Amino acid sequence: MNKIALITGATSGIGKSTAYKFAENNYNLILTGRRKERLEQIAQDLQNSYGIQVFPLVFDIRNFEEVKNAVESLPQEWKQIDVLVNNAGLAAGLETIQEGSLDNWERMIDTNVKGLLYISKMIMPLMINRNKGHIINIGSIAGKEVYPKGNVYCATKHAVDALTKAMRIDLLPHNIKVTQIAPGAVETEFSIVRLGDEEAAKKVYEGYEPLHPEDIAEVCYYVTTLPKHVNINDLLIMPTAQANATQFHKV
Ligand code: NDP
Ligand code: 8X3
């Protein structure tokens, strides 16, 4: 029987590539996001291309009732979740902390921190019941360092870093692996969402080769392939042309 992975934020970028990587490796997939049409089109394509089954769940991860109803709507056989990829997330704005907007702060905290907690709260008991599972949290270089105008986004990713460590401790008796994958710059819709401007977003990746979402998907799958007794706790993955949060070699 195929294993099951639930990937949040699968309508785009890292989540979407991760869905293709797990599908290639015969996982059945629960894919989530708010954009229903995209999710259904991706689900159809994965089913046609890889002969796996996909269960799309459309919800806003910031709303616990929606998250709860969605997970409870899964048929029993779909609740045997082997891998949870906590990927849905975003940055909103790039402003000094004194100029930052409350609306942007709330979007980031509600999505990146509370959303990750909401979906985990629904899935952890299912894993505990089966005494197995693997949770992969997508952190960021922004969860390891703080950079100018990164303030609240960096704080949310530092929270992901802390929650990953906390999960590893509290889930220890339940045989559940917990891994953080923390990327540097990856070219996705991330900067379009952050800056609200496609031209400005394009410039973020000019003059060097950023990571591609497939690079992260590859590693995300790799960490699930290790023997039962081996867990990768934390991986910081950068473009070769990026040394840390702020230093790039651009030509
Ligand atoms: P994208 O914008 O391409 O993808 C973000 C995904 O998150 C989308 O599928 C989106 O789905 C989903 N999402 C956002 N808000 C919500 C919400 N409220 N409810 C449900 N789903 C939501 O960006 P990336 O692929 O780059 O981002 C994925 C993760 O990687 C994020 O956690 C990001 O912080 C992290 N990251 C990104 C880096 C980068 O440079 N790109 C580097 C390091 C980490 P929809 O809009 O359909 O709801
Ligand atoms: C996204 C990468 O450097 O913009 O997490 O914070 S960065």
Side-chain angles (χ1 to χ4, degrees), residues 12-14 35 87-94 107-108 112 138-142 147 150 153-154 156-157 183-197 201-202 204-205 213:
S12 163
I14 295 170
R35 287 170 286 182
N87 164 76
L90 81 167
L94 191 63
R107 269 175 76 198
M108 292 187 276
N112 301 355
I138 304 298
S140 171
I141 180 68
Y147 55 84
Y153 177 66
C154 294
T156 65
K157 288 297 177 177
V186 190
E187 189 165 9
T188 62
E189 293 177 13
F190 177 85
S191 291
I192 301 173
V193 172
R194 177 175 229 174
L195 304 172
D197 172 347
K202 222 184 266 170
V204 174
Y205 308 106

Side-chain angles (χ1 to χ4, degrees), residues 124 127-128 131-135 167-168 171-178 231:
M124 288 184 296
M127 290 182 167
I128 289 170
N131 199 42
K132 63 176 177 176
H134 195 158
I135 299 175
M167 284 178 177
R168 204 176 291 124
L171 295 171
L172 191 58
H174 302 289
N175 195 38
I176 295 171
K177 297 187 184 190
V178 186
N231 181 52

